[in-house]
Amino acid sequence: MSLSLSAERREPPAEAADGAWLECIECGDTFAPFDAVRYTCDDCDGLLEVRYTDLPSFDDFSGDGVWRYNTALPLESGVTIQEGSTPLYRVPRLEEDVGVEALRIKHEGMNPTGSFKDRGMTVGVAVARELGVDRLACASTGNTSAALAAYGSRAGMQTLVLLPAGKVAAGKVAQASLHGARILEVDGNFDACLDIVQDLAARGEAYLLNSLNPFRLEGQKTIGLEILEACLDDYDAVPDRIVLPVGNAGNTAALYKAFRELVQSGALALEDVPKLTGVQAEGAAPMVEAVENDADEVRRWDEVETRATAIRIGNPVNAPKALPGIRETGGTAVSVTDEEITDAQRDLAGEGIGVEPASAASLAGLRKLRAEGVVESDERVVCLTTGHLLKDPDAAAAAGNDPEPVPAETEGVLEHLQR
Ligand code: F0G
């Protein structure tokens, strides 16, 4: 199995070009990175990973944002809107309330289009340009479509997005629309959209930029690199645990890959690798089911439902890359109710951190695991919040205070305030 923190590094194959190649995680077959459009293994259809001749150490990194880490990426520069370098917030009140040694919030909602997807797109759209394709496509619960539309338009390329009708938050559709994507509203859920867009990509109709695309995950790897660097600066150690919301499990796979590469380069000790801890909504928790049952494969859920529409996903396509990451780092996965998600969204808002529901799943999951004693009081934990509050204004308004009507004169306002 090539997905192991302690795997031996293999010699670069003949297909390696510019220091990188693609490798199948199932059969180990290798491919040149930019010679053809390819999302999965030609031979066994397994997921592909980008592999490198040289692996990064912390000293190699310079500059800001995602491209600070270009020595760990397949290209030197990309189609950028200044993504990355997101804040890692201290939250002393929440830290005490949850009862852990240290708690930090990595707020990916502070990216240009308001979610972590920008990190994947700055790389993925640049690779698309390298490959010479002209139309980009994705299925999306919303954020991927917003990011693809923005980065596609910046690169001067056509974009096509397939969204589950009626299940995408308003802010995300507005973004895809204004950035000029063609928006197809599919009468089905996200997983059905992804099936269709994969078919379209296989027929050469468009270049697929969902997280099945191995280049996108390279950009998302930088979340892990930023967290480690920031924690080393902050408290001189890497965190014990990173808690993150899970949909397609792309981030889980990407963070695991970041840590694997650092371990292989000798920049991170095996015993210091943070425990990857995934959180899903109860109504869409196939990864949690697989972790709890110690299963090798994830069962596709055909019916999924949650207020956290971003993670309303029943078929996590990156599970083969993410499950080993959760297991091997000593992490776990947990599901939370929509009410717990909304409570956590309010908790974060109370610290001035505005996130969309899916993002709050990380804090909700941490609370639950702490209450169960799975997370211990001496742990240093980072919760990843993946998208901005304004992505889903309806959910925010429903979770927050109602506006109070008052007359248009001071006396009337004062009277109202005294009531
Ligand atoms: N959080 C937010 C806000 C998301 O938009 C997503 C995924 C996730 C978490 C899950 O991340 O897939 O890496 O496990 N959104 C995708 C989309 C599916 O279409 O925007 P993952």
Side-chain angles (χ1 to χ4, degrees), residues 285-299 319 322-333:
M287 281 283 288
V288 176
E289 181 181 70
V291 170
E292 282 176 354
N293 296 339
D294 209 19
D296 288 335
E297 279 179 20
V298 173
R299 181 179 68 89
L323 275 178
I326 289 175
R327 294 203 171 111
E328 230 204 317
T329 60
T332 187

Coordinates of all heavy atoms in Angstrom, one line a residue, residues 285-299 319 322-333:
A285 N -23.6 10.7 6.6 CA -22.4 10.3 7.4 C -21.8 8.9 6.9 O -21.4 8.1 7.7 CB -22.7 10.3 8.8
P286 N -21.6 8.7 5.6 CA -21.1 7.4 5.2 C -19.6 7.2 5.6 O -19.2 6.0 5.9 CB -21.1 7.5 3.6 CG -21.2 8.9 3.3 CD -21.9 9.6 4.5
M287 N -18.8 8.2 5.7 CA -17.4 8.1 6.2 C -17.4 7.6 7.7 O -16.6 6.8 8.1 CB -16.6 9.4 6.1 CG -16.2 9.7 4.7 SD -14.7 8.7 4.2 CE -13.5 9.5 5.2
V288 N -18.3 8.3 8.5 CA -18.3 7.9 9.9 C -18.8 6.5 10.0 O -18.2 5.7 10.8 CB -19.4 8.9 10.6 CG1 -19.5 8.5 12.1 CG2 -18.9 10.3 10.5
E289 N -19.7 6.1 9.2 CA -20.2 4.7 9.2 C -19.0 3.7 9.0 O -18.8 2.7 9.7 CB -21.2 4.5 8.2 CG -21.8 3.1 8.1 CD -22.9 3.0 7.0 OE1 -22.5 3.0 5.8 OE2 -24.1 2.8 7.4
A290 N -18.2 4.1 8.0 CA -17.0 3.2 7.6 C -16.0 3.2 8.7 O -15.4 2.1 9.0 CB -16.4 3.7 6.3
V291 N -15.7 4.3 9.3 CA -14.7 4.3 10.4 C -15.2 3.5 11.6 O -14.5 2.7 12.2 CB -14.4 5.8 10.8 CG1 -13.6 5.8 12.1 CG2 -13.7 6.5 9.7
E292 N -16.5 3.8 11.9 CA -17.1 3.0 13.1 C -17.1 1.5 12.9 O -16.9 0.8 13.8 CB -18.5 3.5 13.4 CG -18.5 4.9 14.1 CD -19.8 5.5 14.4 OE1 -20.8 4.9 13.8 OE2 -19.9 6.5 15.0
N293 N -17.4 1.1 11.6 CA -17.4 -0.3 11.3 C -16.1 -0.9 10.9 O -16.0 -2.1 10.6 CB -18.4 -0.6 10.2 CG -19.8 -0.3 10.6 OD1 -20.1 -0.2 11.8 ND2 -20.7 0.0 9.6
D294 N -15.0 0.0 11.0 CA -13.7 -0.5 10.5 C -13.7 -1.1 9.1 O -13.0 -2.1 8.9 CB -13.1 -1.5 11.6 CG -11.6 -1.4 11.6 OD1 -11.1 -0.4 11.1 OD2 -11.0 -2.4 12.1
A295 N -14.6 -0.5 8.3 CA -14.7 -1.1 6.9 C -13.7 -0.5 6.0 O -13.1 0.6 6.2 CB -16.1 -0.7 6.4
D296 N -13.3 -1.3 5.0 CA -12.3 -0.9 4.0 C -12.9 0.0 2.9 O -12.2 0.8 2.3 CB -11.7 -2.1 3.3 CG -10.8 -2.8 4.3 OD1 -10.3 -2.2 5.2 OD2 -10.5 -4.0 4.1
E297 N -14.2 -0.2 2.7 CA -14.9 0.7 1.7 C -16.1 1.4 2.3 O -16.6 1.0 3.3 CB -15.4 -0.2 0.6 CG -14.3 -0.5 -0.4 CD -14.7 -1.4 -1.5 OE1 -15.9 -1.5 -1.8 OE2 -13.7 -2.0 -2.1
V298 N -16.4 2.5 1.7 CA -17.5 3.3 2.2 C -18.8 3.0 1.4 O -18.7 2.9 0.2 CB -17.2 4.8 2.0 CG1 -18.3 5.7 2.4 CG2 -16.0 5.2 2.9
R299 N -19.9 2.8 2.1 CA -21.1 2.4 1.5 C -21.8 3.8 1.0 O -21.9 4.7 1.8 CB -22.0 1.7 2.5 CG -23.4 1.3 1.9 CD -24.2 0.5 3.0 NE -24.6 1.4 4.1 CZ -25.7 2.1 4.1 NH1 -26.6 2.1 3.1 NH2 -26.0 2.9 5.2
A319 N -12.7 8.8 -0.4 CA -12.6 7.9 0.7 C -11.3 7.0 0.7 O -10.6 6.8 1.7 CB -13.8 7.1 0.9
A322 N -8.7 9.0 2.0 CA -8.9 9.7 3.3 C -9.0 8.7 4.5 O -8.5 8.9 5.6 CB -10.2 10.5 3.3
L323 N -9.6 7.5 4.2 CA -9.7 6.5 5.3 C -8.4 6.1 5.9 O -8.2 6.1 7.1 CB -10.5 5.3 4.8 CG -12.0 5.3 4.9 CD1 -12.6 4.0 4.3 CD2 -12.5 5.6 6.3
P324 N -7.3 5.8 5.1 CA -6.0 5.5 5.6 C -5.5 6.7 6.4 O -4.8 6.4 7.4 CB -5.1 5.2 4.4 CG -6.1 5.0 3.3 CD -7.3 5.7 3.6
G325 N -5.8 7.9 6.0 CA -5.3 9.1 6.7 C -5.9 9.2 8.1 O -5.2 9.4 9.1
I326 N -7.2 8.9 8.2 CA -7.8 9.0 9.5 C -7.3 7.9 10.4 O -6.9 8.1 11.6 CB -9.4 8.9 9.4 CG1 -9.9 10.1 8.7 CG2 -10.0 8.6 10.7 CD1 -11.4 10.1 8.4
R327 N -7.2 6.7 9.9 CA -6.7 5.5 10.7 C -5.3 5.7 11.1 O -4.9 5.5 12.2 CB -6.9 4.3 9.9 CG -8.4 4.0 9.6 CD -8.6 2.5 9.3 NE -10.1 2.3 9.3 CZ -10.8 2.0 8.2 NH1 -10.1 1.8 7.1 NH2 -12.1 1.9 8.3
E328 N -4.4 6.0 10.1 CA -3.0 6.0 10.4 C -2.5 7.1 11.3 O -1.5 6.9 11.9 CB -2.2 6.0 9.0 CG -1.2 4.9 8.9 CD -0.1 5.3 8.0 OE1 -0.5 5.8 6.9 OE2 1.0 5.1 8.3
T329 N -3.2 8.2 11.3 CA -2.8 9.3 12.2 C -3.4 9.1 13.6 O -3.2 9.9 14.5 CB -3.3 10.6 11.6 OG1 -4.7 10.6 11.5 CG2 -2.7 10.9 10.3
G330 N -4.2 8.0 13.8 CA -4.8 7.8 15.1 C -6.1 8.7 15.3 O -6.5 8.9 16.4
G331 N -6.6 9.2 14.2 CA -7.8 10.1 14.3 C -9.1 9.2 14.3 O -9.0 8.0 14.6
T332 N -10.2 9.9 14.1 CA -11.5 9.2 14.1 C -12.5 10.0 13.3 O -12.1 11.0 12.7 CB -12.0 9.0 15.5 OG1 -13.1 8.2 15.5 CG2 -12.3 10.3 16.2
A333 N -13.7 9.6 13.2 CA -14.7 10.3 12.6 C -16.0 10.3 13.4 O -16.2 9.3 14.1 CB -15.0 9.8 11.2

